[in-house]
Amino acid sequence: MGVSSPGDYAALKFPPTPRHDRDVSVQSVERRDSGGWTVSGSLTPNGICPDCGLQSRRRHGWRRRRLQDYPAHGDGVTVTLWVCRWRCLAPACPRRTFSDQIGSIARPFARRTSRVGEIVSHLGHATGGRPAERLLHRLGLGVSDDTVLRQLKNRAQDTAEPPTVIGIDDWSWRKSQTYGTIIVDLERRAVIDVLEDRDVVTCTDWLKRHPEVEVISRDRCGLYAQAARQGAPQAEQVADRFHTVQNLRQAIEEQMNLHGRATGRALLSDADNITAEGSLLKSRLAHRTSREEIFTTIHALRNQGLTCSEIGRRTGFPRRSIAKWLQFETPPDRRRAALKPTSPWYFEEFLSQSWKGGIRTGSALFRLIRERGYEGSPTHLQRLLAGWRRAEKQAKGPALEHQILEPVRDPETGHAISPVIAAALCIKPRGKLTPDQARKVDALKAGSPAFATMRCLVMRFNGILRGREADPLPAWIDDAIETDLAPIVRFARTLNRDFDAVKNAIEMPWSNGQAEGQINRLKTLKRAMYGRAGQELLRARMLPLRHTD
């Protein structure tokens, strides 16, 4: 049932508040032949100049505004509003004429009422351009996706409240290639800004524009530390506790690599699982030469009546791989894909000639093969050239001998414990270990004196973090340096260089956890918007809704 009179339309609450009843007078409601409704009304004249604030009594004329409003019973509604235009009589006022404006009804030059604009902004902020367009059309509001995004960007220019405690972190436009910066208000748990790059100058300029910042939480990246020193020297820097513990775990893993990177496949010799220079090629060669031995062993275990699962537990291979190998009488050959222009090996002959001709830089070779149809990235080319450089280096001098320690094995399964697992167990308190994990920790402490030393240091470091007292930290750094374990010494010296930020991380409650969570949200929005997720649009959608109202 349609609206047939001004009183009926007033019942639909066109003026959303009682105050608007005095500002707008509804004169007529008409049904259009093409469908929808046209509501005619007039705005009560007030004649107050927006520049000088003086009231004018000299009317210049009338103008008509056509505004899109809420739909009525599923049909579109257009409001035709007559607005009085005045002439300003103040001699010093630069504005000669002006029209009456009421922002609660419609903004100047807007094509829809303010309440419709709010709905468009809310849907655009929550869903994006095209999803908001589809939903608005279902609601009877014909708004395009371009209009949704344009209004969202325009309203995102409003500034937030001045922040005093911020978290700053980077996020990737393209992983390992280009990065941006996100800044979060840690007190209000809201995004303040999204910067397009990860440059020191950009971050420094932003911090200089916000001198009210008192605390800056960051990861241990030197870039943001330098920007904070230059742009906000008055602010206290706080190193993120999670990244600090993560760096310690990486140092432990690096130290445990001296025991070999065993993959659980006990069929290979221990010497083939080292992690020194050139170990990757050596490991691959060892796996190729041992395929026949592995194949023979799997069939021998099968002839003993063992199941695929039991063979997998003993050998460390996946059950499905074992089931596939049991179907063959001889070891299956590896199927190699045909080389394509995306691979630098496709141009191996030309690259080899250029290399022998004296062209050794990756950028020069990259330009040459790009002219011949190379479609891959410079990173793939650098991997190929790195192998050639290693081969030349080994040919010129004797190979370096690295100390290879005996790998520590699980006492129950006999599999070597990998450095990754060893590092994870090293930082885990005894009370949180499962019985299986506790058995591995005991085996690691018995088989590796370095692991026992590192676990003692880690437990002390965890106690310092949880105790919220930084006084024992200098003594811990001295003890870590005296261990003569190169990765641990390097970590301790890095802590000493960034001592003030680490000290604040221990004593202050702030961390970069909120920034990491906002980065996850940003990545979700960036992927959902495909190629339209530019910096301006990402910023508009990342800012809280109160900033875009």
Side-chain angles (χ1 to χ4, degrees), residues 92-93 124 160 190 217 219 223 279 302 304-305 441-442 451 468 491:
C93 183
S217 175
D219 58 15
L223 184 150
S279 63
R302 182 64 169 181
Q304 297 177 11
V441 168
D442 294 337
F451 181 88
R468 295 298 185 186
F491 171 77

Side-chain angles (χ1 to χ4, degrees), residues 49-54 87-97:
C49 179
D51 285 353
C52 64
L54 296 179
R87 188 184 300 275
C88 185
L89 302 179
C93 183
R95 187 183 295 269
R96 307 318 307 162
T97 61

